[in-house]
Amino acid sequence: MSLEKIGDPRDLTHWMGHMETDYSYTYGIAGEKFFKELKENAKIMGTRCKNCNLIYVPPRLFCERCFEKLDTWETVSKRGSVHTYTIANIDIDGSKLKKPIIWAMIKIDNVHGGFVHKLGEVDSKDVEIGMHVEAVFKSRKEREGSMLDIKYFRPAKQKLEKALR
Amino acid sequence: MLREVAVVGLGCTGCRPTTPGLSYKEIMFEAATRAFEDAGVDPRCDIDNFITCAEDYWEGFSIFDEFVPDQLGAVLRQLFTVTADGLFGLATAYMLIRTGEFDTVAVEAHSKASDILTFADIVAFALDPIFNRPLGGHPFYIAGLEMNRYLHETGASREACAHVVAKNRKNALSNAYAAHGANITVEDVLESEQLFYPLSRLDISPLADGCMVLVLASDKVAGKLTDTPIWVRGVGWNSDTPWLETRDWGRSVDTELAAKMAYKVAGIRNPQKEIDLAEIDDRFSYKELQNLEALQLCRRGEAGKLTEEGATERDGSIPINPSGGLLGVGYTLEASGLQKALEIVLQLRGEAGKRQVPDAETGLAQVWRGIPTASGAVAILSNRSRGAT
Ligand SMILES: [Zn+2]
């Protein structure tokens, strides 16, 4: 099939441009607390809106529904369910990934929100919407206070869940 | 009483995968010249305000809005840039004219996407820098996530999405300004490389270059400028939360609310009856289905079936994207919504040639700002003024 038209502007007379854009993004009050707990204790924190009876994950200092300031912090579950997923076969430069990435929106149990993250320790054909997953953290030494402190989410171990209750 | 507003002129360069030999300024000059000719106005004295719609990163400039006056005839005149899709610019023009302070406003949006060598990187740079961007990856995984959830919630089939692609690319064959017209089958789409399951390569609208300019005028002057004014009957816009983590993945709530706003302004109570055709966002195939439902042009969960039955074909009961949509015309960045409005104007004027939808009186244009946004706008246009209906 040759219906995709191709045109490389670099074949035309041109001037090559490049934008250097480096930033240092401040985490802010809510982000500092969230990533400190993630790094030091492998805990996931959220903030509660008492008006809306919702816990925001990731946490924020204000409610997007009622605009109330949020200062009640809660430790939330490291588990959640796959709200939706996709299997990415190409990288950002368009090249084929040697190992496809399974992305998922994971709704953390009993909160409003969760994480868009990767799934691991699972075959892509076994992933389904609704499946229960748990966060897998890097070791304390490796954790740096970023989203990468969670390596990925994997299918939750049912027995362990019961034992922990 | 508030004034009525009409589109009295349009100009389009045509959309192409590349634009060899023309700079972004020159494509803007070309479209603007055509629009002013069409409206019979001199931009140096007849246009009360110019609106350009652009986003710095698409252009490769800081403060791009400073680079637009000369090619539009707007030097030392009233001009500002709306950092959003052209349909937001059209809504802004509508409001300016309704204030009574402006009689004529020109709206411009363009794409020189072929100048961009790292498109996916710019899209990725639009993700939250702390919670999403560190994970890397091609940002279109967000479309894969959304498509999967949409299909799951509505029961629409993967094949219905492929139908959208085949229909729109075929429609584009009879559109001289479309870049990506093609005769392809549902099977071609299903067999194309799977990039972000369930999204395949042909489900993604290809980029195109192009520029669109619309000239809007108040009812006071519209009749002097044209015999075929196309009235802007309503506009609406809306933004859902930017957080991927708390937004709705199965529906486009911002489009639902933008449509409600536009219908209210236009006095439309039954969209299915009152809208004759629509140009809606089909950046990804499934978006056309999702947006059909968000616009209340069918009931939730019905869009896939209707599409497979042919209802959205050019000769169907509710023609959708007769221009070829973004899948067939090409995705022209912030010009996407203006392309949709321009097509509706052509259709309502009866100037759409081979792709003319017969007897169309009222049409709708809708656009989404693309990944990773949750913002959209809607405009309702009619060849009948409010007083005439
Ligand atoms: Zn609240």
Side-chain angles (χ1 to χ4, degrees):
Chain A
M1 218 167 25
S2 62
L3 58 94
E4 301 308 313
K5 294 170 185 170
I6 297 164
D8 190 335
R10 283 165 289 195
D11 293 341
L12 307 170
T13 313
H14 63 271
W15 180 262
M16 283 297 291
H18 178 67
M19 264 197 279
E20 288 282 355
T21 50
D22 295 333
Y23 297 86
S24 165
Y25 295 106
T26 308
Y27 280 3
I29 295 168
E32 285 284 345
K33 178 143 177 154
F34 174 80
F35 284 108
K36 185 168 183 284
E37 287 295 329
L38 197 69
K39 179 183 171 182
E40 292 177 5
N41 304 309
K43 272 187 184 169
I44 298 173
M45 305 289 289
T47 49
R48 178 185 286 278
C49 177
K50 289 169 192 158
N51 278 349
C52 301
N53 197 27
L54 292 173
I55 301 172
Y56 280 95
V57 176
R60 318 171 191 177
L61 229 50
F62 41 85
C63 176
E64 68 182 29
R65 295 202 176 169
C66 72
F67 208 53
E68 193 68 16
K69 191 172 182 210
L70 309 183
D71 48 20
T72 310
W73 286 80
E74 313 243 358
T75 303
V76 304
S77 176
K78 295 170 194 175
R79 297 179 166 213
S81 56
V82 171
H83 184 63
T84 181
Y85 71 94
T86 185
I87 303 152
N89 287 302
I90 59 167
D91 206 348
I92 192 159
D93 61 0
S95 65
K96 203 163 166 59
L97 286 165
K98 281 193 194 98
K99 189 169 176 266
I101 299 169
I102 311 169
W103 291 92
M105 169 63 214
I106 296 126
K107 290 212 167 188
I108 294 293
D109 293 344
N110 307 316
V111 312
H112 182 51
F115 302 102
V116 173
H117 217 296
K118 297 169 186 176
L119 298 185
E121 297 181 42
V122 63
D123 196 292
S124 59
K125 66 179 187 301
D126 297 327
V127 179
E128 51 186 32
I129 289 176
M131 76 187 282
H132 210 215
V133 293
E134 62 189 6
V136 177
F137 292 86
K138 284 182 178 167
S139 70
R140 173 67 189 86
K141 252 193 204 160
E142 293 171 309
R143 292 200 297 268
E144 54 179 9
S146 88
M147 276 313 290
L148 301 177
D149 289 356
I150 297 174
K151 281 203 277 192
Y152 49 78
F153 284 76
R154 70 179 172 205
K157 304 221 163 52
Q158 296 302 329
K159 275 180 198 164
L160 187 69
E161 183 185 37
K162 273 176 196 156
L164 286 174
R165 264 183 197 160
Chain B
M1 201 179 121
L2 286 172
R3 290 205 262 174
E4 295 305 310
V5 180
V7 177
V8 297
L10 57 83
C12 169
T13 55
C15 299
R16 295 288 173 266
T18 57
T19 316
L22 290 182
S23 71
Y24 76 93
K25 272 188 188 281
E26 290 160 348
I27 62 170
M28 289 171 71
F29 175 69
E30 183 183 325
T33 304
R34 287 171 192 244
F36 300 141
E37 179 67 23
D38 188 46
V41 295
D42 177 352
R44 300 302 294 147
C45 50
D46 297 332
I47 299 291
D48 297 337
N49 190 77
F50 298 81
I51 298 172
T52 58
C53 306
E55 161 63 47
D56 284 5
Y57 271 94
W58 293 142
E59 308 294 340
F61 282 82
S62 298
I63 322 181
F64 178 74
D65 38 322
E66 288 297 304
F67 288 83
V68 294
D70 48 333
Q71 64 269 37
L72 296 176
V75 167
L76 294 175
R77 310 267 306 163
Q78 288 67 43
L79 172 144
F80 58 84
T81 293
V82 172
T83 314
D85 180 273
L87 214 48
F88 288 82
L90 185 142
T92 309
Y94 170 84
M95 291 186 283
L96 284 181
I97 293 170
R98 293 204 93 184
T99 64
E101 299 292 322
F102 302 82
D103 275 315
T104 49
V105 178
V107 185
E108 181 276 345
H110 66 276
S111 158
K112 196 69 159 74
S114 66
D115 278 2
I116 302 170
L117 303 182
T118 50
F119 177 80
D121 294 78
I122 296 176
V123 177
F125 205 61
L127 287 167
D128 183 282
I130 294 165
F131 289 98
N132 305 131
R133 228 191 281 162
L135 296 168
H138 192 301
F140 281 15
Y141 68 78
I142 293 167
L145 290 174
E146 194 179 54
M147 179 176 183
N148 203 7
R149 185 70 199 180
Y150 170 77
L151 297 181
H152 177 80
E153 283 186 12
T154 61
S157 69
R158 174 70 190 83
E159 288 72 21
C161 300
H163 265 274
V164 170
V165 182
K167 166 181 74 74
N168 290 0
R169 293 196 68 163
K170 186 171 195 307
N171 282 353
L173 282 175
S174 44
N175 182 351
Y177 74 78
H180 298 286
N183 261 321
I184 59 170
T185 63
V186 167
E187 287 68 38
D188 289 334
V189 181
L190 297 175
E191 286 163 16
S192 68
E193 187 188 358
Q194 197 167 80
L195 299 184
F196 307 92
Y197 169 86
L199 193 75
S200 301
R201 189 174 290 282
L202 289 176
D203 289 299
I204 302 171
S205 55
L207 286 160
D209 293 350
C211 181
M212 327 283 155
V213 175
L214 295 184
V215 179
L216 282 76
S218 69
D219 51 2
K220 206 174 93 191
V221 301
K224 290 177 207 152
L225 296 171
T226 180
D227 296 332
T228 53
I230 301 302
W231 302 96
V232 183
R233 298 289 296 275
V235 292
W237 59 92
N238 199 275
S239 290
D240 198 352
T241 177
W243 290 80
L244 299 179
E245 293 81 357
T246 48
R247 72 169 56 153
D248 195 312
W249 285 90
R251 54 205 306 163
S252 177
V253 182
D254 52 290
T255 304
E256 291 171 15
L257 296 175
K260 270 190 189 150
M261 176 179 169
Y263 289 144
K264 193 176 166 201
V265 176
I268 286 178
R269 288 193 182 82
N270 185 342
Q272 286 179 43
K273 262 200 186 141
E274 296 173 68
I275 302 292
D276 299 320
L277 81 161
E279 285 276 322
I280 71 179
D281 198 285
D282 58 332
R283 175 80 180 89
F284 302 100
S285 59
Y286 71 91
K287 284 308 257 189
E288 178 166 313
L289 304 180
Q290 190 187 44
N291 289 328
L292 258 171
E293 294 166 0
L295 295 163
Q296 300 172 50
L297 294 176
C298 67
R299 278 203 298 254
R300 176 111 168 123
E302 274 183 353
K305 195 167 149 275
L306 280 176
T307 301
E308 289 184 287
E309 288 167 0
T312 59
E313 310 253 345
R314 200 179 292 144
D315 58 359
S317 55
I318 173 72
I320 300 294
N321 289 326
S323 74
L326 304 178
L327 286 159
V329 174
Y331 170 47
T332 52
L333 306 177
E334 307 296 9
S336 299
L338 219 49
Q339 177 264 311
K340 291 183 176 299
L342 182 135
E343 174 68 13
I344 296 293
V345 172
L346 287 174
Q347 290 280 353
L348 298 178
R349 279 183 178 182
E351 294 176 3
K354 257 185 81 180
R355 61 181 193 285
Q356 182 67 48
V357 173
D359 306 322
E361 271 181 20
T362 303
L364 177 149
Q366 175 259 331
V367 80
W368 164 54
R369 279 201 82 204
I371 283 176
T373 80
S375 291
V378 173
I380 293 159
L381 298 140
S382 177
N383 51 24
R384 299 201 161 202
S385 69
R386 211 174 286 265
T389 47

